Amino acid sequence: MDLKNKILQLQKDSSALEPSPEERKETLAAVSAYTDDFLNRLPNIPAFENNHDESKPISDFIPKEETYSIEELLEVLKATVDSTGLNAASGGHLGYIPGGGIYYSALADYMADVSNRYAGIYYSNPGAVRIENMMIQWMCSLAGFPKNSAGYLSSGGSMANLSAIVTARDTKKIKAAEIEKSVIYLSHQAHHSIDKAIRIAGLNEAILRFIPLDEYYRIKPNLLKTQIEEDIKSGLKPFLVIGAAGTTDVGAIDPLEEIGNIAQQFNLWFHVDAAYGGFFLLTEEGKAKMKGIETADSVTMDPHKGLFLPYGSGALIVKDAQALAHAHHYQANYMQDAKYAMDELSPAELSPELTKHFRGLRMWLPLMLIGTKPFAAALEEKLLLAQYFYKEIQKIKDFEVGNAPDLSVVTYRFAPQGTSESELNELNEALLKEIQNDGRVFISSTLLNNKFTLRLAVLSFRTHLHTIDLLIDLLKAKSKKLSEL
Ligand SMILES: *Cc1c(COP(=O)(O)O)cnc(C)c1O
């Protein structure tokens, strides 16, 4: 075969990459029927199915020349993915930090994937980059950041925290030689992604000062200040303090304003991890509780938590746009065309990524279609559901609670009188297993002062009053059963 014919043959052999209009229609109809069925069944399917079965046929489905029909594939996905483990789309997901997955975002993703517009650089697609920057500006305004702030939509809170720490390191000029003398202030309640980010950022040898917490698990600002002063006196270089607006564990909000003032006084970068709590800024109560967030240099927010978007949506906002740009700057000869159009900062200039998913569309489309009000209402509902649970759980025999919820996390445990601490730990673990085995709702646990403690985290937009009432009923029945054993 000559070269031309060979090329034409390959064109034919690869033609399945572009389905015909009929094939598109059929496949889309099958997928759409599948997702509709999922959403219609969702209120009645478990939040947790402890049924992972390695013998299921997914392992046969490896890339090879042989093909399958969409129906076969949907069936195997239903069996191995969409009906096992934790159902993160369920309103019964009340553990860890629940996710969301609003439908309009899925449609936006579909459009973004089909057109595959390049949202990394303004020059390549001014509209897409502008949409992403508008979403960032909206988050900046929620946090009370000035108009010329910047940021980027990340894959999640972990990436956002990493970028924030790298930006702090870069801005405060922490060079390799002085890492061992550099000090980072944080709390034992900080999310583990912070610790991970510190190591990835090459700051493993920096000094970490875990500031003692008050009874509400909030950083004690006076102790933070004393520690910084001591460190300066002994010739160390404090450069970063990290607070939380809603810790993952108990939902605590650090005293942001006081920490912000201290950070400013000593010229420290102040990062607020609001991955979980950030979007409660859409509510009056959340705004009041997070007062002082505007004093931060950078804030992490997770739209795939508090804005109910599908997984893969985090965000970092930074007050000093140039600081963020400097920490992530690049130079490449083959990018010279793109460099000519600097009307607007681009994600590629503000983040570790270059080629990326057009994440802005899955946030923008639902906000445009339904407006901000339903989001604010859902978030306020979550705050009130947590308060309702906190009140109701105390009415059940032998339950004790932690602090009143700052946001939408409540800690509690079953504590019948005359039971030893180690027995209480076992009892609560058994209670957790009972709830998980029932599966209609999913809760998780934590260790607080070495006590096995149950957690309620309300953040799914599908969690409503009846979900919380179901959990209360289950806790009542299962704890009764356990005490009768
Ligand atoms: C969830 C969470 C993170 C990590 O975010 P991912 O989106 O899971 O990467 C960081 N900090 C806090 C407070 C969180 O709740």
Side-chain angles (χ1 to χ4, degrees), residues 432-455:
L432 180 85
K433 286 268 146 31
E434 288 279 342
I435 305 281
Q436 291 188 347
N437 288 340
D438 177 272
R440 279 177 288 172
V441 295
F442 176 83
I443 56 169
S444 61
S445 70
T446 185
L447 277 182
L448 290 176
N449 307 317
N450 286 321
K451 293 178 182 171
F452 191 100
T453 304
L454 302 174
R455 279 174 80 253

PDB file of all heavy atoms in Angstrom, residues 432-455:
ATOM      1  N   LEU A 432     -22.328   2.992  65.412  1.00  0.00           N
ATOM      2  CA  LEU A 432     -21.980   3.454  64.059  1.00  0.00           C
ATOM      3  C   LEU A 432     -22.179   2.330  63.045  1.00  0.00           C
ATOM      4  O   LEU A 432     -22.776   2.527  61.982  1.00  0.00           O
ATOM      5  CB  LEU A 432     -20.526   3.935  64.038  1.00  0.00           C
ATOM      6  CG  LEU A 432     -20.026   4.455  62.688  1.00  0.00           C
ATOM      7  CD1 LEU A 432     -20.388   5.916  62.512  1.00  0.00           C
ATOM      8  CD2 LEU A 432     -18.522   4.296  62.568  1.00  0.00           C
ATOM      9  N   LYS A 433     -21.705   1.130  63.385  1.00  0.00           N
ATOM     10  CA  LYS A 433     -21.835  -0.034  62.489  1.00  0.00           C
ATOM     11  C   LYS A 433     -23.312  -0.352  62.240  1.00  0.00           C
ATOM     12  O   LYS A 433     -23.704  -0.654  61.116  1.00  0.00           O
ATOM     13  CB  LYS A 433     -21.141  -1.267  63.098  1.00  0.00           C
ATOM     14  CG  LYS A 433     -19.634  -1.206  63.027  1.00  0.00           C
ATOM     15  CD  LYS A 433     -19.108  -1.881  61.756  1.00  0.00           C
ATOM     16  CE  LYS A 433     -17.866  -1.257  61.163  1.00  0.00           C
ATOM     17  NZ  LYS A 433     -16.898  -0.628  62.010  1.00  0.00           N
ATOM     18  N   GLU A 434     -24.117  -0.270  63.302  1.00  0.00           N
ATOM     19  CA  GLU A 434     -25.560  -0.546  63.169  1.00  0.00           C
ATOM     20  C   GLU A 434     -26.193   0.410  62.154  1.00  0.00           C
ATOM     21  O   GLU A 434     -26.982   0.008  61.310  1.00  0.00           O
ATOM     22  CB  GLU A 434     -26.270  -0.380  64.521  1.00  0.00           C
ATOM     23  CG  GLU A 434     -25.969  -1.478  65.534  1.00  0.00           C
ATOM     24  CD  GLU A 434     -26.802  -2.734  65.308  1.00  0.00           C
ATOM     25  OE1 GLU A 434     -27.828  -2.640  64.598  1.00  0.00           O
ATOM     26  OE2 GLU A 434     -26.417  -3.799  65.814  1.00  0.00           O
ATOM     27  N   ILE A 435     -25.848   1.690  62.272  1.00  0.00           N
ATOM     28  CA  ILE A 435     -26.422   2.698  61.366  1.00  0.00           C
ATOM     29  C   ILE A 435     -25.929   2.451  59.940  1.00  0.00           C
ATOM     30  O   ILE A 435     -26.699   2.516  58.981  1.00  0.00           O
ATOM     31  CB  ILE A 435     -26.035   4.134  61.813  1.00  0.00           C
ATOM     32  CG1 ILE A 435     -26.424   4.392  63.270  1.00  0.00           C
ATOM     33  CG2 ILE A 435     -26.600   5.183  60.867  1.00  0.00           C
ATOM     34  CD1 ILE A 435     -27.858   4.715  63.518  1.00  0.00           C
ATOM     35  N   GLN A 436     -24.650   2.141  59.821  1.00  0.00           N
ATOM     36  CA  GLN A 436     -24.092   1.908  58.477  1.00  0.00           C
ATOM     37  C   GLN A 436     -24.692   0.651  57.855  1.00  0.00           C
ATOM     38  O   GLN A 436     -24.936   0.604  56.651  1.00  0.00           O
ATOM     39  CB  GLN A 436     -22.567   1.823  58.532  1.00  0.00           C
ATOM     40  CG  GLN A 436     -21.947   3.185  58.851  1.00  0.00           C
ATOM     41  CD  GLN A 436     -20.434   3.198  58.729  1.00  0.00           C
ATOM     42  OE1 GLN A 436     -19.812   2.152  58.641  1.00  0.00           O
ATOM     43  NE2 GLN A 436     -19.856   4.379  58.758  1.00  0.00           N
ATOM     44  N   ASN A 437     -24.919  -0.371  58.662  1.00  0.00           N
ATOM     45  CA  ASN A 437     -25.511  -1.597  58.122  1.00  0.00           C
ATOM     46  C   ASN A 437     -26.951  -1.373  57.671  1.00  0.00           C
ATOM     47  O   ASN A 437     -27.399  -1.959  56.695  1.00  0.00           O
ATOM     48  CB  ASN A 437     -25.459  -2.729  59.152  1.00  0.00           C
ATOM     49  CG  ASN A 437     -24.046  -3.243  59.330  1.00  0.00           C
ATOM     50  OD1 ASN A 437     -23.189  -3.038  58.469  1.00  0.00           O
ATOM     51  ND2 ASN A 437     -23.767  -3.885  60.453  1.00  0.00           N
ATOM     52  N   ASP A 438     -27.658  -0.529  58.386  1.00  0.00           N
ATOM     53  CA  ASP A 438     -29.006  -0.181  57.937  1.00  0.00           C
ATOM     54  C   ASP A 438     -28.918   0.506  56.566  1.00  0.00           C
ATOM     55  O   ASP A 438     -29.665   0.173  55.654  1.00  0.00           O
ATOM     56  CB  ASP A 438     -29.685   0.738  58.957  1.00  0.00           C
ATOM     57  CG  ASP A 438     -31.050   1.186  58.481  1.00  0.00           C
ATOM     58  OD1 ASP A 438     -31.146   2.228  57.777  1.00  0.00           O
ATOM     59  OD2 ASP A 438     -32.036   0.491  58.779  1.00  0.00           O
ATOM     60  N   GLY A 439     -27.978   1.462  56.461  1.00  0.00           N
ATOM     61  CA  GLY A 439     -27.638   2.030  55.157  1.00  0.00           C
ATOM     62  C   GLY A 439     -28.498   3.176  54.655  1.00  0.00           C
ATOM     63  O   GLY A 439     -28.125   3.843  53.702  1.00  0.00           O
ATOM     64  N   ARG A 440     -29.643   3.419  55.279  1.00  0.00           N
ATOM     65  CA  ARG A 440     -30.498   4.486  54.747  1.00  0.00           C
ATOM     66  C   ARG A 440     -29.850   5.852  54.921  1.00  0.00           C
ATOM     67  O   ARG A 440     -30.021   6.753  54.106  1.00  0.00           O
ATOM     68  CB  ARG A 440     -31.878   4.450  55.412  1.00  0.00           C
ATOM     69  CG  ARG A 440     -32.798   3.410  54.798  1.00  0.00           C
ATOM     70  CD  ARG A 440     -34.104   3.343  55.516  1.00  0.00           C
ATOM     71  NE  ARG A 440     -33.966   2.716  56.827  1.00  0.00           N
ATOM     72  CZ  ARG A 440     -34.943   2.664  57.736  1.00  0.00           C
ATOM     73  NH1 ARG A 440     -36.115   3.217  57.480  1.00  0.00           N
ATOM     74  NH2 ARG A 440     -34.740   2.065  58.900  1.00  0.00           N
ATOM     75  N   VAL A 441     -29.117   5.999  56.040  1.00  0.00           N
ATOM     76  CA  VAL A 441     -28.299   7.197  56.191  1.00  0.00           C
ATOM     77  C   VAL A 441     -26.875   6.758  56.499  1.00  0.00           C
ATOM     78  O   VAL A 441     -26.649   5.638  56.961  1.00  0.00           O
ATOM     79  CB  VAL A 441     -28.806   8.133  57.321  1.00  0.00           C
ATOM     80  CG1 VAL A 441     -30.170   8.698  56.984  1.00  0.00           C
ATOM     81  CG2 VAL A 441     -28.823   7.422  58.655  1.00  0.00           C
ATOM     82  N   PHE A 442     -25.934   7.634  56.213  1.00  0.00           N
ATOM     83  CA  PHE A 442     -24.526   7.325  56.469  1.00  0.00           C
ATOM     84  C   PHE A 442     -23.957   8.374  57.415  1.00  0.00           C
ATOM     85  O   PHE A 442     -24.017   9.568  57.124  1.00  0.00           O
ATOM     86  CB  PHE A 442     -23.738   7.317  55.157  1.00  0.00           C
ATOM     87  CG  PHE A 442     -22.264   7.091  55.339  1.00  0.00           C
ATOM     88  CD1 PHE A 442     -21.753   5.802  55.466  1.00  0.00           C
ATOM     89  CD2 PHE A 442     -21.390   8.170  55.411  1.00  0.00           C
ATOM     90  CE1 PHE A 442     -20.393   5.588  55.652  1.00  0.00           C
ATOM     91  CE2 PHE A 442     -20.028   7.965  55.590  1.00  0.00           C
ATOM     92  CZ  PHE A 442     -19.530   6.672  55.707  1.00  0.00           C
ATOM     93  N   ILE A 443     -23.429   7.917  58.552  1.00  0.00           N
ATOM     94  CA  ILE A 443     -22.755   8.855  59.455  1.00  0.00           C
ATOM     95  C   ILE A 443     -21.311   8.406  59.632  1.00  0.00           C
ATOM     96  O   ILE A 443     -20.964   7.271  59.310  1.00  0.00           O
ATOM     97  CB  ILE A 443     -23.456   8.953  60.836  1.00  0.00           C
ATOM     98  CG1 ILE A 443     -23.571   7.574  61.488  1.00  0.00           C
ATOM     99  CG2 ILE A 443     -24.818   9.614  60.710  1.00  0.00           C
ATOM    100  CD1 ILE A 443     -24.012   7.614  62.945  1.00  0.00           C
ATOM    101  N   SER A 444     -20.466   9.294  60.143  1.00  0.00           N
ATOM    102  CA  SER A 444     -19.071   8.925  60.368  1.00  0.00           C
ATOM    103  C   SER A 444     -18.695   9.285  61.802  1.00  0.00           C
ATOM    104  O   SER A 444     -19.522   9.772  62.569  1.00  0.00           O
ATOM    105  CB  SER A 444     -18.167   9.615  59.354  1.00  0.00           C
ATOM    106  OG  SER A 444     -18.259  11.015  59.485  1.00  0.00           O
ATOM    107  N   SER A 445     -17.460   9.024  62.144  1.00  0.00           N
ATOM    108  CA  SER A 445     -17.031   9.217  63.530  1.00  0.00           C
ATOM    109  C   SER A 445     -15.693   9.931  63.569  1.00  0.00           C
ATOM    110  O   SER A 445     -15.041  10.103  62.536  1.00  0.00           O
ATOM    111  CB  SER A 445     -16.895   7.866  64.223  1.00  0.00           C
ATOM    112  OG  SER A 445     -15.772   7.190  63.688  1.00  0.00           O
ATOM    113  N   THR A 446     -15.286  10.336  64.746  1.00  0.00           N
ATOM    114  CA  THR A 446     -13.962  10.934  64.927  1.00  0.00           C
ATOM    115  C   THR A 446     -13.488  10.620  66.343  1.00  0.00           C
ATOM    116  O   THR A 446     -14.237  10.043  67.138  1.00  0.00           O
ATOM    117  CB  THR A 446     -13.995  12.458  64.677  1.00  0.00           C
ATOM    118  OG1 THR A 446     -12.663  12.963  64.764  1.00  0.00           O
ATOM    119  CG2 THR A 446     -14.875  13.178  65.678  1.00  0.00           C
ATOM    120  N   LEU A 447     -12.251  10.974  66.618  1.00  0.00           N
ATOM    121  CA  LEU A 447     -11.739  10.848  67.987  1.00  0.00           C
ATOM    122  C   LEU A 447     -11.576  12.253  68.538  1.00  0.00           C
ATOM    123  O   LEU A 447     -10.849  13.064  67.964  1.00  0.00           O
ATOM    124  CB  LEU A 447     -10.371  10.158  67.986  1.00  0.00           C
ATOM    125  CG  LEU A 447     -10.322   8.635  67.943  1.00  0.00           C
ATOM    126  CD1 LEU A 447      -8.873   8.172  68.003  1.00  0.00           C
ATOM    127  CD2 LEU A 447     -11.118   8.005  69.088  1.00  0.00           C
ATOM    128  N   LEU A 448     -12.271  12.553  69.627  1.00  0.00           N
ATOM    129  CA  LEU A 448     -12.097  13.846  70.282  1.00  0.00           C
ATOM    130  C   LEU A 448     -11.597  13.580  71.691  1.00  0.00           C
ATOM    131  O   LEU A 448     -12.275  12.898  72.471  1.00  0.00           O
ATOM    132  CB  LEU A 448     -13.415  14.625  70.323  1.00  0.00           C
ATOM    133  CG  LEU A 448     -13.936  15.157  68.978  1.00  0.00           C
ATOM    134  CD1 LEU A 448     -15.300  15.825  69.152  1.00  0.00           C
ATOM    135  CD2 LEU A 448     -12.954  16.127  68.332  1.00  0.00           C
ATOM    136  N   ASN A 449     -10.426  14.077  72.014  1.00  0.00           N
ATOM    137  CA  ASN A 449      -9.793  13.783  73.301  1.00  0.00           C
ATOM    138  C   ASN A 449      -9.798  12.273  73.578  1.00  0.00           C
ATOM    139  O   ASN A 449     -10.140  11.827  74.672  1.00  0.00           O
ATOM    140  CB  ASN A 449     -10.493  14.523  74.442  1.00  0.00           C
ATOM    141  CG  ASN A 449     -10.589  16.012  74.164  1.00  0.00           C
ATOM    142  OD1 ASN A 449      -9.616  16.621  73.695  1.00  0.00           O
ATOM    143  ND2 ASN A 449     -11.754  16.607  74.410  1.00  0.00           N
ATOM    144  N   ASN A 450      -9.467  11.526  72.547  1.00  0.00           N
ATOM    145  CA  ASN A 450      -9.401  10.056  72.625  1.00  0.00           C
ATOM    146  C   ASN A 450     -10.751   9.377  72.825  1.00  0.00           C
ATOM    147  O   ASN A 450     -10.797   8.187  73.096  1.00  0.00           O
ATOM    148  CB  ASN A 450      -8.438   9.600  73.720  1.00  0.00           C
ATOM    149  CG  ASN A 450      -7.005   9.803  73.288  1.00  0.00           C
ATOM    150  OD1 ASN A 450      -6.678   9.581  72.117  1.00  0.00           O
ATOM    151  ND2 ASN A 450      -6.167  10.251  74.199  1.00  0.00           N
ATOM    152  N   LYS A 451     -11.817  10.133  72.694  1.00  0.00           N
ATOM    153  CA  LYS A 451     -13.138   9.521  72.824  1.00  0.00           C
ATOM    154  C   LYS A 451     -13.721   9.280  71.437  1.00  0.00           C
ATOM    155  O   LYS A 451     -13.764  10.196  70.607  1.00  0.00           O
ATOM    156  CB  LYS A 451     -14.081  10.435  73.611  1.00  0.00           C
ATOM    157  CG  LYS A 451     -13.680  10.589  75.062  1.00  0.00           C
ATOM    158  CD  LYS A 451     -14.622  11.546  75.757  1.00  0.00           C
ATOM    159  CE  LYS A 451     -14.189  11.753  77.207  1.00  0.00           C
ATOM    160  NZ  LYS A 451     -14.935  12.819  77.861  1.00  0.00           N
ATOM    161  N   PHE A 452     -14.187   8.067  71.214  1.00  0.00           N
ATOM    162  CA  PHE A 452     -14.850   7.733  69.956  1.00  0.00           C
ATOM    163  C   PHE A 452     -16.157   8.531  69.903  1.00  0.00           C
ATOM    164  O   PHE A 452     -17.054   8.330  70.715  1.00  0.00           O
ATOM    165  CB  PHE A 452     -15.133   6.227  69.892  1.00  0.00           C
ATOM    166  CG  PHE A 452     -15.567   5.743  68.541  1.00  0.00           C
ATOM    167  CD1 PHE A 452     -14.665   5.125  67.688  1.00  0.00           C
ATOM    168  CD2 PHE A 452     -16.882   5.886  68.122  1.00  0.00           C
ATOM    169  CE1 PHE A 452     -15.061   4.661  66.435  1.00  0.00           C
ATOM    170  CE2 PHE A 452     -17.286   5.429  66.868  1.00  0.00           C
ATOM    171  CZ  PHE A 452     -16.371   4.815  66.026  1.00  0.00           C
ATOM    172  N   THR A 453     -16.234   9.439  68.956  1.00  0.00           N
ATOM    173  CA  THR A 453     -17.353  10.383  68.911  1.00  0.00           C
ATOM    174  C   THR A 453     -18.057  10.292  67.564  1.00  0.00           C
ATOM    175  O   THR A 453     -17.397  10.192  66.526  1.00  0.00           O
ATOM    176  CB  THR A 453     -16.809  11.820  69.130  1.00  0.00           C
ATOM    177  OG1 THR A 453     -16.088  11.840  70.364  1.00  0.00           O
ATOM    178  CG2 THR A 453     -17.915  12.838  69.167  1.00  0.00           C
ATOM    179  N   LEU A 454     -19.373  10.330  67.592  1.00  0.00           N
ATOM    180  CA  LEU A 454     -20.133  10.295  66.334  1.00  0.00           C
ATOM    181  C   LEU A 454     -20.285  11.711  65.786  1.00  0.00           C
ATOM    182  O   LEU A 454     -20.331  12.681  66.551  1.00  0.00           O
ATOM    183  CB  LEU A 454     -21.510   9.668  66.578  1.00  0.00           C
ATOM    184  CG  LEU A 454     -21.468   8.241  67.149  1.00  0.00           C
ATOM    185  CD1 LEU A 454     -22.868   7.754  67.496  1.00  0.00           C
ATOM    186  CD2 LEU A 454     -20.804   7.292  66.160  1.00  0.00           C
ATOM    187  N   ARG A 455     -20.317  11.810  64.476  1.00  0.00           N
ATOM    188  CA  ARG A 455     -20.426  13.115  63.817  1.00  0.00           C
ATOM    189  C   ARG A 455     -21.646  13.137  62.904  1.00  0.00           C
ATOM    190  O   ARG A 455     -21.903  12.176  62.192  1.00  0.00           O
ATOM    191  CB  ARG A 455     -19.225  13.366  62.905  1.00  0.00           C
ATOM    192  CG  ARG A 455     -17.970  13.847  63.532  1.00  0.00           C
ATOM    193  CD  ARG A 455     -16.866  13.890  62.480  1.00  0.00           C
ATOM    194  NE  ARG A 455     -16.936  15.070  61.626  1.00  0.00           N
ATOM    195  CZ  ARG A 455     -17.317  15.061  60.373  1.00  0.00           C
ATOM    196  NH1 ARG A 455     -17.678  13.951  59.781  1.00  0.00           N
ATOM    197  NH2 ARG A 455     -17.331  16.182  59.670  1.00  0.00           N
TER     198      ARG A 455
END
